[in-house]
């Protein structure tokens, strides 16, 4: 039974209609002769055809929400790691087979999908979680709006040269984006800099005027989010920065050609690149501008829509909840306070209550150093009115803390929004917690560690705010789309409800000894391994053993995720093979994929080290195909869709107490990879769900890590007891993997 049959087809989408619509867009929308059309032209025509099938549902969904008056979720995230839209949209609309068969004489859909660029809107798990949430909220028919930034360039395109990571521009929009619709009538003005002064002819104590500002236009682009087996299509609104003045014709006519357009260029820089390098002051200012640009345009949009529908601003929280995905959008709290107090004439205390009841905050980190802090000096310069509001918010909040803990000055200073020191800084996470009615961690262990560690004082003050919402992944993209052969084998046994109700997979327990099912699962895994092996050969020139264990470690490159530990293990296995240990050795192919932040030197050196080890191991004729190491460049959603279904072993080996949750661990498990991992993040809950006997658990627990840290960690103690580890370290130290530069590692 094919998993890609169609409910939209049942509603009347015929193959003839698809063909006619495709030819219309190819010849009319794109002005192409069919016999001269390129593969990219064909992709655009297919995309416009599918988008046309979405539009009526998209409009109807908005009309339904407006008529029903339901409370809606407004999800604000600086990142959305969306992946390609075409295949996902066809699967969610259940028209994949109809489109494929209808257009077979014109295009190969499987190849056409490769012409779509991954949207450069996100970087890691935080952005992918946001994308999965949008998919799931639509599938569940929840009124939801996503808000983000339309970056011209993604974080970067990763190229590997001589083993090193090289960053190139990720110009994902260079050939256009057929999925977005520009909405100039919904543009908003965002203000920066300037000064404040008391409100004229106003008796309200806290109301002030923000004057002499530099204004930027926020231009919205709407992006459809189709649900699975539902007529609902939700909306992701992405903001692009534009000059309010545009081109300066006077300067141009005077011959000042550079400055004629410089103001527009500087403004457009705000949304130019995802995560500008903030190692310098200018970079920090641009990063802060990005964050405020997003929240200001979004808060304006939410309130304008709410008022247009007749809402009472004092009851905003009864109709809207604003979810802050990490601290990046935390400026939404003082921004909503500013709008309510300065523009809507709401009293301060009432405005604060509205804020707290409207906002909810998701925390994504256990590391205090990773929590965002902005200098008071920078905020005062860029957002003077917000600095005043945050001072007042802090004073009011600390008054309540003082009342609850009389005389406890350490509690007051520890919970203050402002961190004292040589440079005063604003603790954005503290503002997000105080300004929200719910604060969630992203795994059971993570939430407990937040309550008892990082945010212990806030939990003690308002325990009712803290809840756990473990991360999840959408099975539509990460099994149904990414792994058609396994999806078909599952659907054949338990029916087709599981993509929408994942608990249905429990029915597979009845087939755990069914030889036919086991054979189908093995066949699916081999198909996926063959597809990935072809990709590896094409892009890396490495031929891998299909009968080897595909040992997969794919995620951002970070020391706490311990890619370095994994490659040390590879060296250990290599030495065992060289010393005659191949008799009982199961062939292994280690597959790494990861991007390192441009300014993260150690992470970039680990990438170089992995590639240097790969160069030695892969070219050792004695080893042959028993052991291979592959580093796949430019990891993203589309590459993950190739790697994850092919994995036999999933590496989830972060130091216990450092990984908030993880979502790669879930995607790999969903596709049948066995997990080797520490009891960290959501690994704990995966272990509870599948049983410890079905995972390879190793390493210290959180408690053991803390105990070791308290007594002192001495690496030499471990080296002296582990001859194999000594050999590995000696090989690295002696330059075995870096002959041209002996001391490189």
């Amino acid at each position: 039974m094919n998993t890609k049959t169609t409910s939209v087809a049942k509603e009347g989408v015929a193959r003839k209609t698809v063909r006619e619509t495709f030819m219309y867009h190819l010849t009319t929308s794109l002005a192409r002769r069919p016999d001269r059309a390129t593969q990219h032209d064909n992709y655009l025509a297919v995309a416009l055809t599918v988008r046309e099938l979405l539009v009526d549902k998209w409009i109807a969904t908005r009309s339904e929400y407006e008529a029903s008056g339901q409370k809606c979720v407004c999800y604000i995230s600086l990142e959305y790691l969306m992946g390609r839209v075409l295949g996902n949209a066809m699967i969610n609309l259940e028209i994949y087979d109809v489109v494929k068969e209808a257009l077979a004489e014109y295009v190969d859909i499987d190849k056409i999908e490769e012409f779509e660029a991954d949207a450069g809107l996100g970087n890691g798990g935080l952005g992918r979680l946001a994308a999965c949430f949008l998919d799931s909220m639509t599938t569940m028919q929840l009124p939801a709006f996503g808000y983000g930034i339309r970056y011209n360039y993604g974080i970067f395109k990763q190229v590997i040269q001589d083993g090193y990571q090289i960053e190139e521009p990720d110009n994902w929009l260079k050939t256009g984006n057929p999925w977005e619709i520009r909405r100039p009538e919904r543009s908003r003005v965002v203000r920066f800099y300037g000064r404040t002064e008391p409100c004229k002819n106003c008796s309200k104590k806290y109301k002030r005027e923000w004057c002499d500002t530099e204004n930027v236009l926020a231009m919205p682009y709407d992006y459809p989010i189709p649900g699975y087996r539902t007529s609902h299509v939700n909306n992701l609104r992405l903001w692009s920065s534009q000059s309010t003045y545009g081109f300066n014709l006077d300067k141009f006519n005077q011959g000042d050609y550079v400055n004629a357009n410089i103001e527009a260029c500087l403004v457009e820089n705000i949304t130019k690149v995802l995560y500008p390098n903030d190692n310098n002051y200018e970079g920090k200012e641009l990063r802060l501008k990005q964050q405020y640009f997003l929240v200001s345009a979004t808060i304006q949009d939410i309130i304008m829509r709410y008022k247009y529908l007749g809402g009472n601003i004092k009851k905003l929280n009864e109709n809207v909840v604003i979810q802050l995905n990490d601290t990046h959008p935390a400026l939404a709290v003082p921004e909503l306070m500013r709008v309510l107090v300065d523009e809507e004439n709401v009293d301060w205390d009432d405005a604060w209550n509205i804020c707290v009841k409207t906002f909810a905050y998701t925390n994504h980190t256990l590391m205090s150093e990773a929590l965002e802090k902005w200098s008071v000096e920078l905020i005062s310069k860029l957002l003077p009115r917000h600095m005043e509001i945050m001072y007042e918010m802090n004073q009011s909040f600390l008054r309540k803390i003082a009342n609850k803990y009389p005389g406890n000055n350490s509690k007051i200073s520890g919970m203050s929004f402002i961190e004292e020191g040589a440079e005063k800084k604003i603790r954005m996470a503290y503002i997000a917690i105080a300004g929200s009615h719910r604060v969630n961690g992203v795994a059971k262990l993570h939430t407990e560690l937040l309550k008892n560690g990082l945010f212990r004082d806030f939990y003690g003050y308002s325990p009712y705010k803290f809840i756990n919402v473990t991360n999840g992944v959408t099975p539509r993209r990460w099994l149904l789309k990414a792994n058609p052969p396994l999806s078909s084998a599952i659907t054949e046994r338990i029916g087709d409800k599981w993509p929408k109700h994942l608990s249905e997979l429990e029915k597979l327990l009845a087939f755990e000894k069914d030889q036919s099912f086991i054979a189908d699962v093995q066949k699916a895994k081999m198909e996926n391994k063959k597809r990935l092996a072809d990709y590896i050969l094409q892009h890396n020139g490495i031929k891998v053993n299909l009968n080897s264990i595909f040992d997969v470690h794919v995620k951002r490159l970070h020391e706490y995720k311990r890619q370095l530990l994994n490659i040390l293990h590879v060296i250990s296995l290599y030495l065992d093979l060289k010393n005659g240990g191949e008799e009982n050795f199961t062939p292994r192919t280690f597959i790494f994929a990861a991007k390192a932040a441009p300014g993260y030197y150690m992470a970039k050196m680990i990438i170089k080290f992995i590639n240097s080890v790969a160069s030695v191991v892969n070219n050792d004729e004695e080893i042959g195909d028993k052991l291979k190491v592959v580093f796949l460049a430019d990891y993203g959603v589309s590459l993950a869709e190739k790697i994850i279904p092919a994995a036999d072993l999933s590496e989830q080996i972060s130091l216990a107490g450092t990984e908030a949750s993880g979502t790669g661990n879930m995607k790999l498990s969903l596709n049948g990879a066995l997990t080797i991992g520490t009891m960290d993040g959501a690994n704990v809950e995966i272990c509870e769900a599948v049983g410890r006997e079905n995972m390879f658990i190793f390493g210290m627990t959180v408690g053991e890590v803390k105990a070791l840290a308290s007594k002192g960690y001495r690496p030499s103690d471990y080296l002296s007891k582990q001859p194999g580890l000594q050999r590995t370290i000696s090989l690295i130290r002696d330059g075995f993997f870096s002959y041209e530069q002996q001391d490189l590692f």
Side-chain angles (χ1 to χ4, degrees):
M1 179 179 177
N2 199 313
T3 58
K4 293 173 180 172
T5 52
T6 98
S7 67
V8 174
K10 293 170 191 170
E11 295 170 14
V13 177
R15 292 173 180 81
K16 182 181 178 183
T17 304
V18 171
R19 277 194 296 272
E20 289 173 349
T21 307
F22 169 79
M23 292 306 299
Y24 169 82
H25 285 298
L26 188 64
T27 57
T28 304
S29 301
L30 302 176
R32 280 289 187 185
R33 279 173 45 185
D35 61 323
R36 296 287 179 89
T38 65
Q39 287 284 64
H40 187 259
D41 293 328
N42 288 331
Y43 157 69
L44 289 174
V46 174
L48 291 171
T49 299
V50 174
R51 194 185 84 172
E52 189 166 312
L53 297 174
L54 284 171
V55 168
D56 286 345
K57 297 172 183 293
W58 200 2
I59 294 170
T61 301
R62 294 292 293 273
S63 298
E64 179 188 321
Y65 291 163
E66 290 176 5
S68 69
Q70 289 176 274
K71 190 170 187 176
C72 73
V73 177
C74 295
Y75 194 89
I76 311 181
S77 179
L78 209 60
E79 289 188 46
Y80 289 93
L81 198 57
M82 302 299 293
R84 292 171 176 154
V85 179
L86 178 59
N88 193 66
M90 289 192 292
I91 283 172
N92 275 9
L93 289 172
E94 296 187 280
I95 58 170
Y96 194 100
D97 287 342
V98 169
V99 173
K100 186 171 185 174
E101 292 167 15
L103 303 180
E105 65 181 286
Y106 306 110
V107 299
D108 181 337
I109 288 295
D110 295 329
K111 291 180 179 177
I112 281 293
E113 288 184 63
E114 297 295 321
F115 282 83
E116 180 177 357
D118 277 31
L121 304 172
N123 175 34
L126 176 144
R128 186 53 229 173
L129 178 73
C132 283
F133 266 135
L134 293 185
D135 179 286
S136 293
M137 286 190 286
T138 312
T139 298
M140 296 171 69
Q141 301 183 14
L142 297 175
F145 299 87
Y147 286 98
I149 290 180
R150 181 184 180 267
Y151 303 101
N152 295 84
Y153 294 87
I155 188 164
F156 59 84
K157 182 177 176 61
Q158 183 192 53
V159 176
I160 302 299
Q161 290 183 8
D162 191 28
Y164 289 97
Q165 169 180 294
I166 304 297
E167 297 99 25
E168 294 184 349
D170 175 21
N171 188 6
W172 71 282
L173 287 170
K174 68 181 177 182
T175 55
N177 179 9
W179 302 103
E180 65 185 14
I181 295 179
R182 190 170 181 261
R183 304 283 195 192
E185 75 282 2
R186 304 288 176 87
S187 61
R188 310 293 179 199
V189 174
V190 177
R191 297 187 287 167
F192 296 99
Y193 304 109
R195 59 185 176 82
T196 68
E197 61 182 35
C199 183
K200 300 179 183 68
N201 305 316
C202 177
S203 60
K204 288 186 177 289
K205 176 181 176 183
Y206 296 102
K207 184 174 180 179
R208 290 179 67 84
E209 292 184 357
W210 189 8
C211 315
D212 302 329
T213 56
E214 292 183 15
N215 297 343
V216 174
L217 194 68
M219 181 65 65
Y221 289 76
D222 286 352
Y223 200 107
I225 308 294
Y228 179 73
R229 285 191 178 166
T230 172
S231 60
H232 285 65
V233 177
N234 278 340
N235 196 61
L236 170 60
R237 178 157 289 177
L238 302 173
W239 301 102
S240 179
S241 58
Q242 297 184 10
S243 169
T244 55
Y245 303 105
F247 184 69
N248 190 318
L249 186 61
D250 286 341
K251 286 188 176 181
F252 186 85
N253 288 336
Q254 293 166 17
D256 191 356
Y257 305 130
V258 173
N259 288 319
N261 202 41
I262 197 165
E263 194 269 344
C265 290
L266 291 172
V267 164
E268 289 166 7
N269 278 343
I270 295 174
T271 57
K272 187 70 75 178
V273 180
L274 168 65
Y275 290 164
N277 196 335
D278 60 0
N279 291 341
N280 53 55
Y281 183 87
E282 289 75 17
K284 285 182 169 63
E285 185 173 1
L286 183 55
R287 181 85 174 264
L288 185 60
K289 269 187 174 180
Q290 272 190 352
Q291 295 185 3
Y292 179 66
F293 175 82
L294 168 60
V295 302
S296 176
T298 298
I299 293 296
Q300 290 182 65
D301 197 63
I302 291 169
I303 290 178
M304 289 294 289
R305 184 173 63 246
Y306 176 68
K307 291 172 71 175
Y308 172 77
L309 295 173
N312 179 346
I313 197 68
K314 292 190 176 182
K315 295 182 178 180
L316 178 68
N317 57 277
E318 295 179 13
N319 295 88
V320 174
V321 61
I322 302 175
Q323 188 73 39
L324 307 175
N325 192 27
D326 214 0
T327 55
H328 308 135
L331 282 167
V333 178
E335 171 66 0
L336 182 55
M337 285 294 293
R338 183 191 68 79
V339 172
L340 292 174
V341 172
D342 293 354
E343 298 180 5
E344 299 294 336
N345 293 309
V346 178
D347 290 336
W348 180 273
D349 289 342
D350 291 338
W352 180 249
N353 287 332
I354 292 168
C355 276
V356 172
K357 291 176 181 177
T358 301
F359 286 111
Y361 161 55
T362 299
N363 173 273
H364 284 273
T365 185
L366 286 161
M367 300 180 184
S368 58
E369 65 270 21
L371 293 176
E372 278 195 312
K373 298 172 186 175
W374 291 107
S375 79
V376 168
E377 179 187 9
L378 178 57
I379 293 182
S380 298
K381 171 191 171 187
L382 191 67
L383 304 168
R385 179 61 183 129
H386 296 76
M387 193 66 253
E388 292 174 347
I389 289 170
M390 285 188 280
Y391 271 130
E392 189 57 46
M393 285 164 46
N394 192 46
Q395 186 175 345
S396 300
F397 180 68
L398 292 184
R399 180 67 264 170
K400 295 173 184 175
I401 300 301
N403 289 347
K404 183 158 185 174
Y405 307 105
N408 192 336
N409 291 330
S410 65
K411 186 82 72 175
I412 292 171
S413 63
M415 297 178 72
S416 173
F417 302 163
I418 299 168
E419 180 181 86
E420 302 294 338
E423 182 184 36
K424 284 188 177 182
K425 294 183 178 180
I426 303 295
R427 296 159 162 160
M428 301 310 295
Y430 289 13
I431 289 176
I433 294 170
S436 297
H437 66 282
R438 286 288 180 269
V439 178
N440 75 277
V442 289
K444 192 185 297 183
L445 175 63
H446 173 229
T447 301
E448 290 307 308
L449 291 173
L450 288 180
K451 294 194 300 191
N452 299 307
L454 205 55
F455 300 143
R456 181 176 58 251
D457 288 342
F458 284 90
Y459 177 65
Y461 177 68
S462 50
Y464 55 87
K465 284 190 177 187
F466 287 77
I467 61 169
N468 178 61
V469 183
T470 298
N471 279 351
V473 299
T474 166
R476 273 79 61 186
R477 180 178 288 272
W478 293 110
L479 187 51
L480 192 60
K481 178 180 185 295
N483 200 337
L486 181 57
S487 297
S488 294
I490 292 170
T491 300
E492 189 175 320
R493 270 73 180 189
I494 65 171
D496 61 358
K497 293 180 180 177
W498 62 266
K500 198 167 182 177
H501 305 284
L502 201 57
S503 59
E504 288 280 308
L505 291 184
E506 289 184 24
K507 292 179 179 178
L508 290 175
L509 288 171
F511 299 92
E512 64 178 321
K513 295 181 181 178
D514 184 305
Q515 292 306 308
S516 171
F517 179 60
I518 292 169
D520 282 353
V521 171
Q522 290 173 330
K523 181 182 176 185
K525 182 63 71 176
M526 187 54 70
E527 280 184 41
N528 292 318
K529 291 175 79 168
K530 175 69 168 60
R531 182 173 69 139
L532 180 59
D534 290 343
Y535 181 91
I536 292 169
L537 184 61
Q538 179 184 349
H539 290 82
N540 290 59
I542 301 169
K543 187 175 182 180
V544 300
N545 181 354
L546 290 176
N547 293 311
S548 66
I549 294 172
F550 278 24
D551 189 319
V552 168
H553 200 162
V554 290
K555 51 186 74 235
R556 282 185 302 117
L557 203 305
H558 203 295
E559 287 165 277
Y560 79 83
K561 295 178 185 290
R562 301 207 291 195
Q563 286 94 342
L564 181 56
L565 177 63
N566 195 6
I567 196 64
L568 291 179
H569 178 226
V570 172
I571 297 170
S572 174
L573 292 176
Y574 172 72
L575 288 173
D576 286 346
L577 282 171
K578 295 294 286 184
N579 292 324
E582 70 270 8
E583 186 177 337
N584 296 313
F585 186 84
T586 302
R588 272 299 243 280
T589 298
F590 284 86
I591 298 166
F592 294 87
K595 287 182 177 180
Y600 193 170
Y601 174 78
M602 180 60 78
K604 293 175 82 168
M605 284 306 297
I606 291 170
I607 289 175
K608 168 61 176 172
F609 183 53
I610 291 169
N611 282 300
S612 294
V613 173
S615 181
V616 171
V617 172
N618 296 342
N619 291 296
D620 191 321
E621 293 180 0
E622 283 185 6
I623 300 301
D625 65 359
K626 297 185 188 73
L627 184 64
K628 294 290 183 186
V629 182
V630 178
F631 188 96
L632 293 173
D634 208 35
Y635 185 58
V637 174
S638 295
L639 181 52
E641 289 176 21
K642 293 181 176 70
I643 297 172
I644 288 171
D648 294 307
L649 189 61
S650 165
E651 297 275 357
Q652 308 296 332
I653 59 176
S654 54
L655 180 69
T658 57
E659 185 73 83
S661 172
T663 54
N665 49 4
M666 303 172 193
K667 296 163 194 165
L668 284 153
S669 293
L670 191 61
N671 281 272
L674 293 173
T675 300
I676 176 169
T678 51
M679 291 299 273
D680 195 27
N683 288 354
V684 176
E685 287 158 273
I686 293 174
C687 187
E688 290 173 358
V690 306
R692 193 171 181 123
E693 68 278 11
N694 293 312
M695 289 178 72
F696 303 105
I697 298 296
F698 82 101
M700 293 181 286
T701 63
V702 171
E704 289 167 342
V705 170
K706 288 181 179 177
L708 178 60
S710 66
K711 76 176 184 180
Y713 169 60
R714 294 176 35 158
S716 57
D717 292 345
Y718 295 85
L719 279 169
S720 64
K721 298 172 185 174
Q722 297 286 341
L725 185 57
Q726 284 182 24
R727 288 197 306 273
T728 297
I729 298 298
S730 295
L731 215 58
I732 299 165
R733 183 194 60 215
D734 295 341
F736 181 78
F737 299 105
S738 53
Y739 270 130
E740 293 179 0
Q741 191 177 346
Q742 293 280 302
D743 60 352
L744 183 61
F745 302 125

